[in-house]
Amino acid sequence: MRRTPISGFIFKSALAGILLCSSTISAEAKDKVIEGTTYSYNCREGLWKSKIIGRGVNDKDWITIERLEELSGARQVNVRNDIEKSCQSSSLISKAKRAFGADCELASDSFDPRNWQIDYASRFNAYGNKYLIFAIRYGDGSRKLCLSKNNFRDNSPIETPGRSLFLHNIERQAGSSVIEYEYHSGNGWGYEVKKYRLDFSDPERPSFSVVDSWIHQL
């Protein structure tokens, strides 16, 4: 499939705001999903998904608006405004975001600032089963990778290499069960960053490999 440049892709997404409509994809979770021409947005989780594959964007990935802006290099003002108006119009969204525990378990169906919150999700199939890989984020910016077999109801943590929870730029390779992410030991500068590839061809026994490394500089 030919990839659309990210700049043109984001521009089209911004223009799609006037065409937004709403639908509910999960009666149990009561999620309201805004469906635009080129993107979808989950009001409850605060996650955005493209309908057009662009550089660094997978059409199966749900990411935050902040991550979208990192990829595009520009603040998405029109998209933010359209999303805010459309999400506020829903009576189904009483409280935003689910809350998760430290072992990826679903702690609550409503927001709790003392718990972990989801900020990335991507679905894939393996061995005839449907899986969801997702990242939960704590208030200090640390993240954990999790695997779900039943739409957030049967979750387990993914044991990543190293002790640090600073994981960034999580992306799934289009059309595959391979995740790539950046790992580092802390904040500041002068530390080593490693880019890992996580292969879920066998979801019960994921494999890790280092594909790149560098020293972080400001």
Side-chain angles (χ1 to χ4, degrees), residues 2-170:
R2 184 174 66 87
R3 289 178 173 267
T4 303
I6 189 69
S7 58
F9 164 67
I10 301 303
F11 177 69
K12 290 179 181 178
S13 296
L15 292 180
I18 58 175
L19 299 175
L20 296 178
C21 61
S22 65
S23 65
T24 302
I25 61 171
S26 171
E28 179 182 12
K30 295 184 179 180
D31 292 342
K32 178 186 177 185
V33 176
I34 298 170
E35 298 289 354
T37 301
T38 59
Y39 67 87
S40 302
Y41 187 80
N42 186 315
C43 293
R44 177 170 188 163
E45 304 298 351
L47 297 178
W48 176 98
K49 181 175 74 170
S50 91
K51 295 181 179 179
I52 301 175
I53 299 177
R55 181 176 59 83
V57 176
N58 187 326
D59 68 345
K60 298 295 188 296
D61 283 3
W62 289 91
I63 61 177
T64 62
I65 290 294
E66 290 76 16
R67 176 60 178 149
L68 170 63
E69 292 174 337
E70 288 180 15
L71 292 169
S72 64
R75 184 172 174 81
Q76 300 301 310
V77 177
N78 290 338
V79 174
R80 282 177 175 270
N81 290 341
D82 289 332
I83 284 171
E84 181 178 5
K85 292 177 182 177
S86 297
C87 287
Q88 286 178 346
S89 68
S90 173
S91 60
L92 295 176
I93 311 300
S94 58
K95 293 185 179 180
K97 289 183 173 290
R98 297 174 178 88
F100 292 85
D103 289 326
C104 299
E105 74 276 15
L106 183 63
S108 172
D109 270 327
S110 60
F111 175 75
D112 184 342
R114 297 167 297 179
N115 288 84
W116 299 71
Q117 310 299 326
I118 188 170
D119 76 351
Y120 169 88
S122 189
R123 297 185 185 277
F124 67 96
N125 297 327
Y127 293 110
N129 297 315
K130 295 181 179 180
Y131 292 88
L132 175 73
I133 183 172
F134 64 101
I136 52 176
R137 183 179 185 274
Y138 203 66
D140 63 359
S142 56
R143 288 181 177 86
K144 292 184 178 182
L145 288 177
C146 308
L147 185 68
S148 174
K149 299 179 183 178
N150 187 23
N151 194 28
F152 298 125
R153 300 294 172 179
D154 182 12
N155 309 333
S156 59
I158 298 168
E159 298 298 329
T160 55
R163 296 182 179 179
S164 171
L165 297 178
F166 288 99
L167 310 178
H168 294 277
N169 299 333
I170 303 167

